[in-house]
């Protein structure tokens, strides 16, 4: 599959959402809001009848076509039906090339809005085998949750003040040596 432009364009990125043009995330947010507002089934809750079940990576891998499309996002298994694929702002190809796989990185790279995340949660059917206990009941995390779990800044918060202290100490050392 291709993403990021028409076949033959210089912006082609095979199955990598990171290669999408900058305008797509904004369009995606608007469409995600609209679809979230249209979708009233279960009030945004997972569209499952009964409890979620553990799903192995081998079982996930069997669902790798447009007609039978499962993906894993944040240890949650999503069964993406045709209505989802056809309404998805990026089109079905953006998703189906990730079918049967863990798509968490690609999902986060596109910077989905909170309304798109809520919409996505309706398609949860289970959780990845071996996932923590929370996966049995959680939804796709909202942006604030992703950032609070290490998604924002990469731990640079303490590095800058520490470097500043080192630079000031070195400067003070040389200033004292000059006297």
């Amino acid at each position: 599959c291709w993403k990021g432009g028409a076949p033959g364009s210089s912006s082609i990125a095979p199955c990598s959402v990171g290669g999408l043009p900058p305008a797509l995330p904004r369009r995606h947010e608007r469409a995600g809001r609209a679809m979230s507002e249209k979708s009233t089934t279960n009030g945004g809750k997972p569209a499952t009848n009964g409890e979620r079940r553990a799903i192995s990576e081998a079982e996930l891998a069997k669902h790798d076509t447009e007609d039978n499309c499962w993906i894993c996002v944040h240890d949650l298994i999503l069964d993406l039906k045709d209505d989802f694929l056809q309404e998805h702002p990026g089109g079905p190809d953006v998703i189906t090339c990730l079918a049967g796989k863990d798509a968490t990185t690609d999902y986060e790279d596109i910077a989905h809005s909170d309304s798109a995340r809520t919409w996505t949660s309706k398609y949860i059917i289970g959780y990845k085998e071996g996932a923590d206990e929370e996966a049995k009941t959680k939804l796709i995390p909202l942006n604030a949750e992703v950032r609070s779990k290490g998604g924002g800044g990469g731990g640079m918060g303490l590095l800058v003040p520490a470097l500043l202290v080192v630079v000031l100490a070195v400067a003070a050392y040389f200033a004292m040596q000059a006297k």
Side-chain angles (χ1 to χ4, degrees), residues 5 9-10 41 44 60 91 148 152 156 173:
S9 75
S10 62
T41 311
L60 172 64
S148 71
M156 294 289 287
Y173 173 79

Side-chain angles (χ1 to χ4, degrees), residues 1-5 11-17 19-20 93-94 97-98 106:
C1 74
W2 57 271
K3 296 180 185 171
S11 62
I12 293 174
C15 293
S16 172
V17 176
L20 290 172
D93 291 342
V94 173
C97 72
L98 298 168
D106 295 278

Side-chain angles (χ1 to χ4, degrees), residues 40 51 79 104 109 118 139 145-146 169 171:
T40 56
E51 291 188 27
D79 182 1
T104 303
D109 283 350
T118 300
L139 300 176
E145 295 171 88
V146 172

